Amino acid sequence: MQQSSLVRRADCEILALGELEAKAGEFVVRSKAEATVRAYRRDLADFRAWCEARGFTCLPAKPKVLALYLTDRAETLKVSTLNRRLCAIREAHRLAGLSVPTDDPTVTAVWAGIRRSKRVAVIEKSPLLTSQIRAIAVQMPRDLRGLRDRAMLLVGFAGALRRSELAGLDVEDVRFEPEGVIINLRRSKTDQEGQGRLLAVPFGRGPITCPVRALRAWLDAAAVTAGPIFRRIDWHAQLHDERVSARTVARIVKRYCAGVGLDADLYAGHSLRAGFATSAALSGASERSIMTQTGHKSVAMVRRYIRLGTLWEENAADLLGL
């Protein structure tokens, strides 16, 4: 009887340990952004398929195998994609308690060679300046899609929001006040723990370009009272419940840029955020006030925007007398 009791107790302890391990695994997944987890899964699936097609073991992976994989995929993938795949493979081995092949000297040497050989200039998207935002807002249609897009672009610009932050906004995240609207960013690229931060978007000077009025007009016209603010509208002008994607934000920016004669290839979702910082710097805003809105932790990126926006201001070449 006593032995049977001990066996049952041992079984319960094993079961409890298994439940704890499963819960720990859930916490590990939640420590990463959902988009990162999805990307890692795709990356690991590609590495697994590559290994299986050649008779290699992917977990644990030998350093030589990983070096060959990188060399093969370097023919078709960008450095940024290869780097993410390395991160996914490293994370998979670490979580499994296995030796991490990404730290092997052979792998690091191959990786350094790939980065050196594929080194290209980073092509940044151009910032949308205030004058360009005005031009876009004026020519936007007054239908339901136009109301949504105007609110999206103006709030994204005035709030210095990332495209993912803009797409992820819910009605519960905004509070209208006499001075404008308060936005609660529950999670962002640099806040994966979801501590959140508040930012204020004031009323604009003109009725067509005011982000607060535009947001209110969209919510009223679409009768959106809860859940996602910016929702999908199909080709038949039917409003759906699901939120727009971050890619949709980028496509909308490109479409309206093309509509006012700008090169759409030079603009995307980040043009709103970069445009805010650049336009604010050109208007004399301090680094501190810009960082308050953008949420930057370091002044380095903000100063980069300021330099880009003031290349023609007080340019020493103007004094050469050429």
Side-chain angles (χ1 to χ4, degrees):
M1 180 67 70
Q2 184 177 4
Q3 184 177 1
S4 177
S5 177
L6 290 174
V7 170
R8 285 198 300 273
R9 183 183 303 174
D11 289 341
C12 289
E13 290 176 352
I14 293 173
L15 180 61
L17 182 59
E19 292 175 348
L20 284 174
E21 290 177 345
K23 187 171 288 293
E26 291 178 8
F27 287 144
V28 169
V29 171
R30 291 176 184 174
S31 70
K32 306 290 184 183
E34 292 181 8
T36 301
V37 173
R38 289 195 299 269
Y40 278 12
R41 284 172 177 163
R42 291 194 299 269
D43 294 335
L44 291 173
D46 180 77
F47 181 54
R48 184 185 304 110
W50 186 91
C51 289
E52 290 176 352
R54 293 159 179 78
F56 297 136
T57 301
C58 65
L59 198 70
K62 294 182 178 179
K64 182 178 179 180
V65 170
L66 181 53
L68 292 174
Y69 171 76
L70 291 174
T71 302
D72 184 34
R73 289 297 191 250
E75 297 293 326
T76 56
L77 298 179
K78 297 179 181 179
V79 170
S80 58
T81 304
L82 287 171
N83 183 61
R84 195 190 61 222
R85 297 211 169 162
L86 273 176
C87 292
I89 293 168
R90 178 188 302 114
E91 192 75 0
H93 282 75
R94 186 178 66 82
L95 293 178
L98 301 171
S99 177
V100 179
T102 55
D103 297 334
D104 185 88
T106 300
V107 176
T108 56
V110 168
W111 178 228
I114 291 173
R115 293 201 312 274
R116 189 178 183 87
S117 65
K118 292 175 72 71
R119 183 172 56 197
V120 293
V122 177
I123 302 176
E124 296 183 343
K125 294 302 180 183
S126 298
L128 272 172
L129 303 181
T130 301
S131 58
Q132 296 167 325
I133 289 290
R134 286 199 191 103
I136 290 174
V138 167
Q139 60 88 44
M140 280 180 157
R142 300 295 193 268
D143 58 9
L144 193 63
R145 190 188 303 276
L147 289 174
R148 182 200 66 179
D149 295 349
R150 178 183 288 104
M152 187 185 300
L153 297 189
L154 291 175
V155 170
F157 179 74
L161 299 177
R162 297 178 177 89
R163 61 179 190 170
S164 59
E165 296 169 345
L166 194 55
L169 286 179
D170 289 338
V171 174
E172 293 78 9
D173 299 328
V174 301
R175 185 174 74 250
F176 289 92
E177 297 192 344
E179 299 83 3
V181 64
I182 301 293
I183 298 177
N184 178 22
L185 285 181
R186 290 173 289 114
R187 177 166 295 184
S188 66
K189 180 180 178 180
T190 56
D191 179 27
Q192 295 302 326
E193 294 182 3
Q195 295 180 358
R197 71 181 182 90
L198 298 177
L199 64 90
V201 175
F203 279 97
R205 297 177 181 176
I208 296 179
T209 56
C210 174
V212 181
R213 294 186 183 94
L215 179 59
R216 184 75 272 172
W218 156 247
L219 292 174
D220 290 344
V224 174
T225 58
I229 289 179
F230 299 114
R231 306 183 179 202
R232 186 173 72 87
I233 299 175
D234 64 27
W235 291 109
H236 303 289
Q238 296 298 312
L239 179 65
H240 295 260
D241 291 337
E242 65 264 30
R243 71 178 72 249
V244 298
S245 67
R247 290 184 179 180
T248 298
V249 175
R251 287 196 294 268
I252 289 172
V253 170
K254 287 179 175 293
R255 183 170 72 248
Y256 285 106
C257 283
V260 294
L262 298 174
D263 185 349
D265 290 338
L266 300 179
Y267 298 89
H270 188 67
S271 296
L272 299 174
R273 179 173 168 83
F276 166 86
T278 305
S279 297
L282 284 170
S283 298
S286 67
E287 292 177 351
R288 180 185 59 79
S289 65
I290 294 174
M291 291 173 65
T292 297
Q293 198 75 341
T294 62
H296 281 114
K297 300 295 190 299
S298 168
V299 299
M301 182 57 73
V302 172
R303 286 176 177 171
R304 186 176 181 180
Y305 289 135
I306 294 173
R307 286 196 300 271
L308 287 172
T310 57
L311 286 175
W312 299 107
E313 303 293 323
E314 298 183 4
N315 192 310
D318 276 340
L319 305 177
L320 298 178
L322 295 178

